[in-house]
């Protein structure tokens, strides 16, 4: 075996270097899109990269009804949390309605039960979704939940480009 490192090429055709340094960040748009900047230090040390805005802080939260979840979200925001990570009830994660016999005993037990757009509206009532980033930890029914979240934003008059967040869509996680 030779000492040469074999190139790693992603499916997209982009080659991945074995090591990246500050120059790679300087040469790319990544530094700007990640919201980082260099700060000046003294004693001849190279300036480090620091975040331009505070890191996102999310606590995985959501339980019972959308109203109870809304109360918890508002409490977390009042305590300095600047983003939300929504926990969904197991039946909601599986795309089963709360009134389905398969959901009996599970509704709101390990997260917020969501069946309709109205549930999202109630859960996020009074929460500035154009300023608070939201992560939907949902898996199999992620596309449906994202659609409801975005429909709620549109009903409020929030431009979709102002909605921030993500969704977990690891369908194998709950198998």
């Amino acid at each position: 075996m030779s000492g040469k490192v074999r190139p790693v090429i992603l499916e997209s055709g982009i080659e991945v270097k074995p090591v990246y340094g500050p120059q790679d960040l300087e040469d790319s748009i990544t530094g700007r899109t990640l919201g980082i900047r260099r700060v000046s230090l003294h004693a001849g040390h190279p300036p480090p990269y620091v975040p331009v805005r505070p890191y996102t802080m999310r606590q995985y939260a959501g339980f019972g009804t959308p109203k109870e979840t809304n109360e918890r979200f508002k409490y977390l925001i009042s305590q300095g949390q600047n983003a939300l990570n929504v926990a969904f009830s197991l039946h909601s994660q599986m795309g089963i309605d709360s009134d389905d016999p398969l959901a009996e005993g599970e509704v709101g037990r390990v997260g917020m039960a969501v069946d309709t757009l109205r549930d999202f509206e109630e859960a996020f009532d009074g929460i500035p979704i154009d300023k608070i980033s939201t992560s939907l930890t949902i898996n199999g029914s992620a596309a449906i939940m994202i659609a409801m979240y975005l429909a709620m934003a549109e009903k409020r008059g929030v431009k979709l480009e102002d909605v921030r967040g993500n969704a977990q869509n690891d369908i194998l996680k709950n198998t």
Side-chain angles (χ1 to χ4, degrees):
M1 219 173 141
S2 71
K4 186 171 176 156
V5 177
R6 201 171 86 210
V8 175
I9 300 181
L10 302 176
E11 289 179 17
S12 63
I14 297 171
E15 185 172 346
V16 179
K17 294 182 181 182
V19 177
Y20 286 87
Q23 189 58 42
D24 294 298
L25 190 58
E26 295 284 339
D27 292 342
S28 73
I29 193 167
T30 308
R32 290 188 298 277
T33 60
L34 290 177
I36 60 175
R37 62 181 166 87
R38 283 195 178 260
V39 293
S40 298
L41 292 180
H42 50 74
H45 295 287
Y49 290 98
V50 298
V52 173
R53 63 179 182 265
Y55 289 107
T56 300
M57 297 181 295
R58 303 177 200 271
Q59 180 180 350
Y60 187 56
F63 55 91
T65 66
K67 183 178 188 286
E68 292 167 316
T69 297
N70 177 270
E71 291 168 7
R72 181 66 178 170
F73 286 168
K74 287 179 178 176
Y75 171 77
L76 292 171
I77 292 167
S78 77
Q79 299 302 304
Q81 190 164 299
N82 60 8
L84 299 170
N85 188 350
V86 184
F88 291 92
S89 191
L90 184 58
H91 74 282
S92 294
Q93 290 185 43
M94 296 172 64
I96 299 172
D97 285 338
S98 295
D99 60 358
D100 188 299
L102 292 173
E104 188 173 340
E106 294 296 327
V107 178
R109 190 168 166 195
V110 297
M112 174 177 69
V114 174
D115 298 305
T116 67
L117 176 59
R118 178 70 193 123
D119 293 330
F120 266 105
E121 292 170 340
E122 190 171 2
F124 289 92
D125 184 48
I127 295 174
I129 61 171
D130 54 339
K131 305 210 179 345
I132 298 284
S133 174
T134 303
S135 176
L136 306 176
T137 303
I138 191 61
N139 303 318
S141 56
I144 296 161
M145 297 300 176
I146 292 170
M148 283 198 265
Y149 188 79
L150 296 176
M152 174 194 63
E154 284 184 324
K155 279 183 78 172
R156 286 189 184 183
V158 175
K159 290 188 258 176
L160 295 185
E161 59 264 23
D162 292 337
V163 176
R164 295 181 300 131
N166 61 7
Q168 177 178 333
N169 190 9
D170 180 3
I171 197 162
L172 299 177
K173 180 183 138 239
N174 292 352
T175 58

